[in-house]
Structure formats: C-alpha cells, structure tokens
Amino acid sequence: MPDLTLTGVAKSFGAQTVLEDLDLHVRDGEFFTLLGPSGCGKSTTLWSIAGLHSPDRGTIAFGDTVVFDAGRIDVAPERRNCGVVFQSYAVWPHLSVHDNVAYPLKLRRVGRAERAARVREVLELVELGKYEKRYPHELSGGQQQRVALARALAHPPDLLLLDEPFSSLDAKLRERAREWLRGLQQRIGVTTVFVTHDQDEALSMSDRIVVMDAGRVRQIGTPEEIYHEPADEFVADFVGTVNVLPGRAAGNQVWLSGLGTPLTIPLQAEGDVRLAIRPERILVQNVDSGRTNTVTAKVRSRAFLGDHYRAILGLGDRDILVRSLTPIDEGSEMIVELPPDAIRVFES
C-alpha cells in the first residue's frame, strides 16, 4: 500500500476558506485519523483525497504517483483506487448483500467466477458470509456498515477512506464496531484515513491523529502525545476533559487568584499564562504529604459514576474537576496535589 502525501492543499467554497495550506503525510499501512469539530475541514480533506473535491491549490500523491496537482493533474475518482465508506453507508436497498459488494467489481468488468469468489472472501472477512442473500432492510445498522466496508474492500484499494462510519450506531455497538474495524485494518494492512469528531474513537483506534481547526493543523501525533502533550489550549480542551486555570507566572511559579501560595510549574515563564491539567492527574490525599503543589480545596459538588467519583472543587477563586477512586463527601474540605509534571503551560 502507498504512503499518502498532501502538500499545500487549500480549498475554499465562495468566500469561506475550508482548507488552508494543509500538509499531511500518512505512512504505508497506517491508521491515520482526522479529528476536529464540525466545519474544521476534515471531510473536505477526505473528499479531496478521494477525488470528489478538487482543491484550489496544492498536490496530493499516492506513493510516487501524483493524483492531483492544481491546474495540471486531477485523476478521476474511479482511477484513484480508493475504498470509501460513507457516513450513511450508502448501500443500495434494492440489491442483496452479495450484489452490493459485487457492484464495484462488476463496474470493473471482473469475470463472474472471480467476482463471486472475491465477494465470498470479503464477506467472510467482515463476518457476514451467511448474510449474502439478505437485503439491507433485513440487517442491523452495524451489519449494513459492514456491507459498506466489504464493498470498499471488494476491489483491493490502495487507500481506505472512512467518513464517520459509526455515527449512526448506538454507543455500545459503536464501541464494538471500532474494536472490530481496528483489528481488521491491522490484519489486512491497508493504509487508512478515518474522519471523526469523536475523541474516544480517535484515541482508541489510531496510529496517529491530526487535530484540525478552521482548516488548519493544530497538532499531529500519537494518541498518547495528543492527550498528554497537547500543543495548545485548543487541543487540550478538545481532546478529553481538562481544567484550565489562568494565572500570573514568575520563573517556575504561578499565582492563581484567591490562592495564597503559588503553584510550581515544570518550566520558566513570565506574565499571564493558563495552566492545563487533566482531572485524573490531580491526586486526592487523606493527609498533607508536604509535596509540591499540595493545597486544600472545598468540595462544591460530587457525583458517583460507578467506578469513580467526579467532584467540583473550589481552588482559590476557580473551580476544578477532579476524578477520584476514593469516596468524596460534598461540602467537605480535601487535600489535593497538582504534580508539576502533570501541568501544561500555555501563554494567555
């Protein structure tokens, strides 16, 4: 399977700029996710790769083959050999499962015997071998999604492009579907570009993630890098839950409004800053350990969520969210520790 490279890709619809000089490199066999809020340009990027949109400028290459170069090359979608799974599945209701999957092979004039063998192969791959003669209305949403995936894989694609394929599934089915799809992608090794706004999908399935906003790249990295080392406050806030505290820095210390003692941070800074820390990185203590950034906070509210407690604590003049495995009593005071290495510092 080829690498995928986008260089300086830009796209506007009228006066609205959707993509702005986008540079991406997807490695051979990688599961690469475009993550971001609605309107950030992730689907436009996917359709540009597939050939369903023509960018205003830039180049797109599959390995050494350039499929788009503004004003010079624009390879037709059917010649790019991309397998595409749409958000709505787009399976044909009047065709059986077999005929839905066989359709792209029929268009390519694949012989009947070879076509039938390939359909059986991909249906077994997606665990739908015994549903070959059924029609879409006889299948669940998850099964229809697998039919769409089998159709995308019927003629072995150079790239697999997935546009929020689980968005119409319920929560439990969506979780099972993403585990199944990730396992399938690893077995067949196809280079995959996956579009989602769901951070859990992105974190659990991806080799690497690009976080997009307003047509631009905010950060590219592994799920662990994106979550634990966000490049800016937008990434920290969009991916997961985070506490953001404004303060004023001098050296490696930050003063928060209403908090008598400063917090120590893991770097040198001056002036107005914003501190970001994940709720699960704030440590709840029974006694004051005397360690750095150990403070007393008042419990404003709390909720029991089965395997953990979530509480809102008053820290100086601000509220913070804490996740704890030990019981928390509303209205009480607690000792909490904000480890310096758990704090990310962003300029205001």
Side-chain angles (χ1 to χ4, degrees):
M1 303 297 172
D3 288 11
L4 167 67
T5 305
L6 284 72
T7 305
V9 172
K11 179 67 177 177
S12 297
F13 294 104
Q16 182 181 5
T17 299
V18 181
L19 297 178
E20 190 167 343
D21 296 324
L22 193 67
D23 293 329
L24 295 176
H25 179 241
V26 183
R27 300 164 186 153
D28 178 17
E30 187 172 35
F31 196 109
F32 189 85
T33 297
L34 309 180
L35 175 66
S38 296
C40 72
K42 54 189 186 293
S43 289
T44 301
T45 303
L46 196 78
W47 299 140
S48 297
I49 296 167
L52 301 176
H53 285 323
S54 294
D56 301 326
R57 64 178 181 271
T59 62
I60 301 173
F62 297 178
D64 295 330
T65 303
V66 176
V67 297
F68 180 84
D69 187 349
R72 296 178 59 247
I73 301 170
D74 194 356
V75 175
E78 63 271 18
R79 294 180 53 216
R80 296 193 184 191
N81 197 30
C82 295
V84 182
V85 178
F86 297 91
Q87 185 174 348
S88 61
Y89 313 143
V91 294
W92 290 288
H94 63 291
L95 296 181
S96 67
V97 168
H98 176 281
D99 291 345
N100 263 283
V101 176
Y103 189 77
L105 299 172
K106 191 174 181 180
L107 286 179
R108 290 174 170 85
R109 303 182 186 278
V110 175
R112 181 172 297 179
E114 183 181 350
R115 191 165 69 223
R118 182 59 182 168
V119 169
R120 285 194 298 271
E121 181 183 350
V122 294
L123 285 178
E124 289 297 331
L125 191 65
V126 301
E127 302 173 4
L128 286 178
K130 63 182 180 181
Y131 297 95
E132 184 175 11
K133 295 182 180 179
R134 292 195 185 182
Y135 285 80
H137 72 272
E138 299 175 300
L139 304 175
S140 68
Q143 289 168 336
Q144 290 184 53
Q145 182 261 340
R146 292 188 186 192
V147 172
L149 183 59
R151 184 178 58 196
L153 296 173
H155 185 273
D158 290 330
L159 293 169
L160 181 60
L161 308 178
L162 307 168
D163 187 18
E164 304 207 42
F166 308 137
S167 60
S168 61
L169 303 181
D170 64 53
K172 287 190 175 180
L173 184 56
R174 189 162 60 243
E175 184 173 348
R176 291 198 298 271
R178 68 193 186 209
E179 291 173 357
W180 172 85
L181 176 60
R182 178 56 170 150
L184 175 65
Q185 188 271 339
Q186 289 176 324
R187 288 200 304 276
I188 63 179
V190 63
T191 306
T192 300
V193 180
F194 180 80
V195 164
T196 186
H197 65 272
D198 187 315
Q199 58 189 269
D200 289 340
E201 286 183 357
L203 292 172
S204 65
M205 298 177 68
S206 311
D207 292 313
R208 285 189 303 149
I209 299 168
V210 54
V211 181
M212 298 179 64
D213 177 42
R216 295 185 177 186
V217 171
R218 288 284 194 162
Q219 186 175 359
I220 301 176
T222 66
E224 291 83 0
E225 289 168 343
I226 295 292
Y227 188 81
H228 293 301
E229 302 171 26
D232 56 32
E233 189 176 334
F234 175 87
V235 176
D237 185 56
F238 187 78
V239 181
T241 302
V242 69
N243 296 293
V244 179
L245 303 170
R248 187 161 186 83
N252 70 337
Q253 293 190 318
V254 173
W255 277 260
L256 304 182
S257 176
L259 193 65
T261 57
L263 296 181
T264 298
I265 56 175
L267 49 77
Q268 300 289 315
E270 298 294 334
D272 292 337
V273 295
R274 294 171 70 81
L275 309 184
I277 185 168
R278 302 287 185 190
E280 67 273 14
R281 296 298 307 276
I282 299 174
L283 306 179
V284 176
Q285 302 177 349
N286 293 322
V287 295
D288 190 343
S289 65
R291 289 197 291 261
T292 303
N293 293 353
T294 299
V295 296
T296 300
K298 185 175 180 61
V299 180
R300 301 197 189 281
S301 65
R302 60 74 133 168
F304 175 60
L305 298 177
D307 61 344
H308 69 279
Y309 292 82
R310 286 167 66 96
I312 303 295
L313 310 183
L315 184 69
D317 294 339
R318 309 290 296 190
D319 288 344
I320 60 171
L321 178 65
V322 171
R323 183 181 187 273
S324 173
L325 299 179
T326 58
I328 294 175
D329 296 323
E330 191 166 339
S332 64
E333 287 193 340
M334 299 181 58
I335 299 170
V336 295
E337 178 187 345
L338 289 72
D341 64 356
I343 297 174
R344 299 289 291 178
V345 182
F346 303 119
E347 294 182 358
S348 291

